């Protein structure tokens, strides 16, 4: 029994249930201490440590510690701590409790050694994250509830696909272990799409941009860390080297940047940017070499931190100003100088400036593409890197803290938020300055040095000249203005087109149904008359042969039956 | 334009020049021929950025909708006669 209490994921889940029932001080303290305890437990577990159990006649393995699961579990726990710290000023019980359970479920899913435990924790992340989204409004209105349900539906669909795939896999292999699957494995294609939904593959991505910006300031910080990176972990374990992932990843890096340029809600900009960053990791998994897979894991690690930092900065703005629309912000630097500085550190990290975390991890994936001579992929990733500079590097800090002065004045963010941002920013810089510490944790043992003159100069050229393009476009007045409104994305097809289509079909059906009723009534009346003639006025079979009467009877029976339907 | 912005722009131009010059000085170990061109990343960065921003700008007329676009009239199919009022089409 005691060895189960050393499971870092279960520690968080228990702490979450506890914290949900506690008040501000005690609950907050539990929220902060639990991730630290879990980090200590994770660190203390020996590599290769396992826990087994029996479920429905199968052996399951709720704890399997190897280097791949370790690095993801570790960054999830760090993100959980930072998220809880950031959440202190909001003081929401649901956020504390569901946040810890969510993080615990994500950690447990990365530590799960079999498909059944993976499925259980996969679904638990969906449930806990739904609570975080709904908690974005104190009294959620109908639109908010619906958005949460849309999100949940997609997550549950992912779980369902995983379950189907897992059943096929277990039936044909006779064991439940979660290891490399590939698309040709029994059930492999089902599980691939299950992971793909959670990873926000193109056309399966809208739940992310739809739901994440609806959570509270700290809620979005928590959401940004776990679900999608859990999917990255699962893809890295199950589908490393699956070639199509290169092109799925490449698509993911490119199309969200156009939406991010146009989007007005700055947290939604970050959600599109999150989608774009996932693309780099997915492409790395598709390349499948040790360097590429290590790059994907390292990029996930760095990305969780700088993305959390950016969401924290925008969350702090939302918390202090009450809006996060670019069209209503600007000139906040004098009110929130520290938030602005931390935001800029996040921007420099995600844009992959040398000495910041994004540079030392993203260049691993680009180098891996180059070493494999994937010229097309390399060019696409390079193109997307210039896009990252626009939406996350420039747009987010520029339109909130600088640009034209909106006239809004507010106090600086409360200290727990600032502290959370400071710690996250420090980690972003630490990884950039001393990447060896992160590289030492990487699972596939690649050897890489990011700071070659070639890399650094090439990256500086790319970023500085892209920045020059920004200045040029702004001065020419060609940069698209920030205006209120939303932008249609693929979710239009199921939020608008599908209901319209359904209504149209339903109207046609109603018409057809009315027509059928008329027809049935006519046939019935006629039939009654014929029958009356056939059976009463004349001797049987004199006017109507018997067979006609029987046929009429049968038709009547059919008509009567069809009325019953 | 205020002084800080002028300074920032000056610095950016200097940084561009410095990185471009550095491109001529360093040794290249290219995987692809283009990597060996001293100013390739500069040109690519500039053009890609312009392409993204101007491309997105051209998409805007097609994609942009008012904020209440999805919160407009109900689309419930069980409403007996779904006579949607036509105020949801501001485009």
């Amino acid at each position: 029994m005691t060895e189960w209490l050393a499971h870092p994921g279960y520690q968080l889940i228990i702490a979450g249930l506890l914290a949900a029932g506690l008040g501000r001080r005690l609950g907050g303290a539990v929220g902060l201490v639990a991730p630290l305890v879990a980090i200590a437990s994770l660190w203390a577990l020996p590599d290769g440590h396992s826990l087994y159990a029996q479920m429905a006649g199968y052996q399951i393995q709720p704890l399997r510690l190897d280097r791949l699961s370790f690095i993801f579990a570790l960054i999830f726990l760090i993100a959980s701590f930072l998220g809880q710290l950031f959440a202190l000023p909001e003081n929401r019980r649901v956020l504390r409790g569901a946040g810890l359970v969510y993080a615990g479920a994500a950690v447990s899913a990365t530590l799960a050694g079999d498909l059944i435990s993976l499925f259980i924790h996969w679904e638990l992340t969906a449930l806990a994250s739904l609570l975080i989204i709904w908690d974005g409004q104190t009294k959620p209105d109908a639109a908010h509830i619906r958005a949460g349900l849309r999100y949940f539906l997609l997550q549950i669909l992912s779980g369902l696909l995983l379950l189907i795939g897992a059943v096929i896999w277990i039936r044909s292999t006779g064991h439940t272990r979660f290891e490399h699957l590939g698309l040709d494995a029994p059930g492999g294609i089902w599980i691939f799409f299950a992971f793909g939904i959670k990873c926000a593959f193109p056309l399966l991505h809208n739940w992310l941009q739809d739901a994440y910006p609806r959570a509270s300031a700290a809620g979005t910080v928590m959401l940004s860390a776990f679900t999608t990176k859990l999917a990255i972990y699962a893809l890295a374990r199950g589908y490393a080297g699956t070639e199509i992932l290169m092109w799925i990843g490449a698509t993911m890096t490119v199309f969200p940047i156009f939406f991010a340029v146009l989007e007005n809600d700055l947290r939604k900009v970050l959600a599109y940017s999150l989608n774009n960053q996932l693309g780099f990791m997915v492409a790395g998994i598709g390349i499948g070499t040790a360097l590429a897979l290590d790059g994907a894991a390292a990029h996930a690690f760095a990305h969780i931190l700088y993305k959390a930092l950016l969401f924290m900065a925008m969350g702090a703005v939302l918390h202090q100003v009450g809006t996060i629309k670019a069209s209503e912000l600007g000139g906040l630097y004098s009110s929130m100088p520290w938030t602005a500085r931390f935001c800029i550190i996040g921007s420099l990290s995600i844009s992959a400036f040398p000495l910041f975390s994004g540079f030392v991890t993203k260049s691993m994936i680009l180098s891996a593409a180059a070493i494999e001579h994937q010229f097309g992929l390399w060019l696409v990733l390079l193109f997307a890197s210039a896009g990252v500079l626009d939406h996350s590097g420039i747009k987010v800090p520029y339109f909130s803290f600088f640009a034209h002065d909106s006239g809004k004045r507010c106090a600086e963010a409360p200290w727990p938020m600032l502290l959370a941002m400071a710690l996250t920013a420090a980690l972003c810089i630490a990884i950039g300055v001393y990447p060896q510490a992160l590289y030492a944790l990487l699972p596939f043992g690649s050897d890489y040095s990011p700071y070659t003159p070639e890399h650094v100069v090439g990256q500086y050229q790319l970023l500085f000249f892209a920045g020059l393009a920004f200045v040029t476009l702004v001065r020419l007045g060609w940069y698209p203005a920030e205006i209120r409104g939303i932008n249609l994305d693929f979710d239009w097809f199921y939020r608008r087109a599908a209901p319209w289509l359904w209504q149209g079909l339903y109207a046609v059906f109603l018409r057809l149904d009315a027509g059928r009723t008329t027809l049935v009534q006519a046939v019935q009346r006629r039939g009654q008359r014929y029958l009356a003639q056939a059976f009463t006025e004349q001797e049987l079979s004199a006017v109507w042969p018997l067979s006609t009467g029987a046929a009429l009877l049968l038709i009547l029976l059919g008509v009567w039956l069809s009325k019953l339907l | 334009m205020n002084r800080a912005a002028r300074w920032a722009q000056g610095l950016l131009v200097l940084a561009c020049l410095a990185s471009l010059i550095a491109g001529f000085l360093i040794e290249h170990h290219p995987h692809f021929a283009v990597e060996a061109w001293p100013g390739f990343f500069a040109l690519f960065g500039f053009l890609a950025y312009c392409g993204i921003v101007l491309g997105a700008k051209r998409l805007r007329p097609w994609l942009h909708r008012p904020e209440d676009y999805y919160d407009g009239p109900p689309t419930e199919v069980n409403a007996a006669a779904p006579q949607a009022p036509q105020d949801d089409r501001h485009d």
Side-chain angles (χ1 to χ4, degrees):
Chain A
M1 188 60 212
T2 44
E3 74 261 23
W4 289 94
L5 289 178
H7 188 303
Y10 296 165
Q11 287 174 347
L12 278 196
I13 294 174
I14 294 168
L17 297 175
L18 206 66
L22 295 173
R24 183 190 187 110
R25 279 160 186 266
L26 223 50
V30 170
L32 290 181
V33 172
L36 295 178
V37 171
I39 290 174
S41 308
L42 180 72
W43 213 278
L45 292 175
D47 190 32
H49 185 70
S50 291
L51 284 177
Y52 292 97
Q54 291 292 324
M55 183 178 269
Y58 287 101
Q59 188 184 49
I60 63 169
Q61 190 184 12
L63 179 63
R64 168 186 58 185
L65 193 62
D66 60 14
R67 291 178 65 82
L68 181 60
S69 49
F70 177 83
I71 186 170
F72 277 89
L74 178 65
I75 188 59
F76 284 167
L77 292 171
I78 295 173
S80 168
F81 172 78
L82 296 168
Q84 290 291 333
L85 180 59
F86 188 80
L88 285 181
E90 285 189 310
N91 186 31
R92 313 278 294 244
R93 277 182 192 211
V94 176
L95 207 55
R96 272 201 296 268
L100 285 173
V101 172
Y102 179 34
V107 169
S108 306
T110 57
L111 293 176
D114 67 284
L115 288 168
I116 296 175
S117 346
L118 180 70
F119 167 75
I120 293 169
H121 298 117
W122 196 260
E123 295 292 57
L124 190 56
T125 59
L127 199 63
S129 55
L130 174 67
L131 293 181
I132 294 177
I133 289 164
W134 273 346
D135 191 51
Q137 293 183 354
T138 320
K139 286 198 173 120
D141 58 22
H144 197 74
I145 297 275
R146 268 208 307 274
L149 288 176
R150 274 198 301 277
Y151 166 83
F152 195 55
L153 200 68
L154 264 288
Q155 301 297 312
I156 287 297
L157 182 64
S158 162
L160 195 67
L161 294 173
L162 175 58
L163 184 63
I164 294 172
V167 168
I168 299 174
W169 168 262
I170 292 167
R171 287 229 156 181
S172 53
T173 62
H175 69 80
T176 61
R177 283 194 303 281
F178 175 34
E179 49 202 28
H180 183 80
L181 302 166
L183 288 176
D184 301 326
I189 190 84
W190 295 89
I191 299 178
F192 185 74
F193 277 102
F195 294 172
I197 290 178
K198 285 228 183 197
C199 198
F201 278 3
L203 307 190
L204 302 174
H205 65 283
N206 283 110
W207 58 267
L208 202 168
Q209 293 85 357
D210 183 19
Y212 279 12
R214 291 177 195 263
S216 68
T220 307
V221 173
M222 294 179 187
L223 290 168
S224 75
F226 303 116
T227 298
T228 48
K229 261 63 72 184
L230 173 58
I232 292 290
Y233 155 80
L235 280 174
R237 187 172 296 277
Y239 296 91
T242 302
E243 202 185 330
I244 186 147
L245 283 176
M246 286 199 297
W247 305 110
I248 293 176
T251 315
M252 282 167 82
T253 59
V254 171
F255 87 88
I257 47 189
F258 293 96
F259 285 95
V261 172
L262 295 178
E263 182 55 51
N264 189 34
D265 180 328
L266 289 177
R267 292 200 301 169
K268 209 165 175 178
V269 172
L270 289 177
Y272 276 112
S273 148
L274 168 56
N275 212 174
N276 145 285
Q277 293 293 304
L278 293 171
F280 285 95
M281 300 168 216
V282 171
I285 295 168
I287 298 168
T289 58
L291 177 61
L293 292 171
D294 274 346
H299 200 48
F301 196 99
H303 156 92
I304 286 178
L305 292 170
Y306 59 64
K307 187 53 75 180
L309 179 54
L310 288 167
F311 270 122
M312 283 180 193
M314 291 302 103
V317 169
L318 176 68
H319 191 254
Q320 297 303 99
V321 182
T323 181
I324 198 61
K325 287 174 184 154
S327 55
E328 272 140 72
L329 293 172
L332 284 176
Y333 181 82
S334 52
S335 298
M336 305 177 78
W338 283 104
T339 306
R341 282 170 205 152
F342 294 136
C343 180
I344 290 170
I345 292 175
S347 294
L348 293 170
S349 302
I350 193 174
S351 311
F353 271 89
L355 297 182
F356 293 89
S357 60
F359 175 71
V360 301
T361 56
K362 190 161 77 180
S363 51
M364 294 175 84
I365 298 172
L366 276 150
S367 293
I371 289 169
E372 295 305 302
H373 287 96
Q374 293 286 348
F375 184 60
L377 179 66
W378 182 79
L379 267 190
V380 172
L381 296 185
L382 209 57
F383 178 81
S385 301
V388 176
L389 180 77
D390 176 64
H391 55 68
S392 297
I394 294 177
K395 180 171 171 168
V396 165
Y398 182 72
F399 284 105
S400 45
F401 300 110
F402 306 100
H404 67 280
D405 192 350
S406 62
K408 289 194 162 64
R409 295 291 175 269
C410 62
E412 179 57 282
W415 70 265
M417 288 189 169
L418 286 179
L419 182 60
M421 284 189 269
L423 289 174
T424 317
L427 285 171
C428 288
I429 295 174
I431 292 172
V433 173
Y434 187 66
Q436 290 78 6
L438 174 59
Y439 290 170
L441 296 175
L442 295 178
F444 298 100
S446 63
D447 183 30
Y448 188 71
S449 42
Y451 288 111
T452 63
E454 228 185 331
H455 269 143
V456 173
V457 169
Q459 186 69 6
Y460 271 138
Q461 282 189 2
L462 183 83
L463 294 173
F464 286 148
F465 275 85
L468 192 66
F470 169 74
V471 173
T472 312
L473 292 173
V474 168
R475 294 200 69 169
L476 288 173
W478 290 357
Y479 195 87
E482 298 307 308
I483 48 177
R484 293 183 71 116
I486 60 149
N487 297 295
L488 299 184
D489 194 350
F490 185 75
D491 58 347
W492 181 84
F493 284 96
Y494 56 81
R495 291 175 71 180
R496 269 295 150 102
W500 276 342
L501 190 67
W502 175 250
Q503 273 175 10
L505 287 177
Y506 189 67
V508 171
F509 171 75
L510 281 182
R511 288 247 176 120
L512 285 177
D513 197 49
R516 194 191 57 133
T517 312
T518 325
L519 190 72
V520 165
Q521 282 166 352
V523 170
Q524 252 176 343
R525 272 199 308 276
R526 286 276 183 85
Q528 272 168 358
R529 211 167 61 225
Y530 289 141
L531 273 186
Q533 285 171 357
F535 290 110
T536 57
E537 289 178 9
Q538 315 282 336
E539 204 177 319
L540 266 183
S541 80
V543 180
W544 297 87
L546 197 61
S547 57
T548 315
L552 277 172
L553 255 180
L554 274 180
I555 290 170
L556 259 188
L557 190 68
V559 168
W560 177 70
L561 275 177
S562 86
K563 255 191 107 174
L564 276 188
L565 284 176
Chain B
M1 196 167 40
N2 63 29
R3 259 182 54 200
R6 215 183 287 273
W7 265 99
Q9 276 188 21
L11 276 178
L12 179 66
V13 171
L14 276 182
C16 285
L17 283 176
S19 68
L20 200 58
I21 293 167
F24 285 91
L25 300 180
I26 55 163
E27 210 177 308
H28 291 276
H29 311 278
H31 294 284
F32 311 116
V34 290
E35 281 184 280
W37 305 354
F40 168 73
F41 290 95
L43 186 70
F44 188 88
F46 192 88
L47 292 182
Y49 194 95
C50 291
I52 289 164
V53 171
L54 297 178
K57 205 176 165 184
R58 301 207 72 161
L59 285 173
R60 180 170 261 175
W62 275 296
L63 299 179
H64 193 260
R65 291 292 181 279
E67 276 176 338
D68 61 351
Y69 177 78
Y70 285 118
D71 308 322
T75 52
E76 263 73 32
V77 284
N78 50 5
Q83 297 293 328
Q86 290 301 304
D87 63 350
D88 61 331
R89 304 288 302 273
H90 298 289
D91 51 329

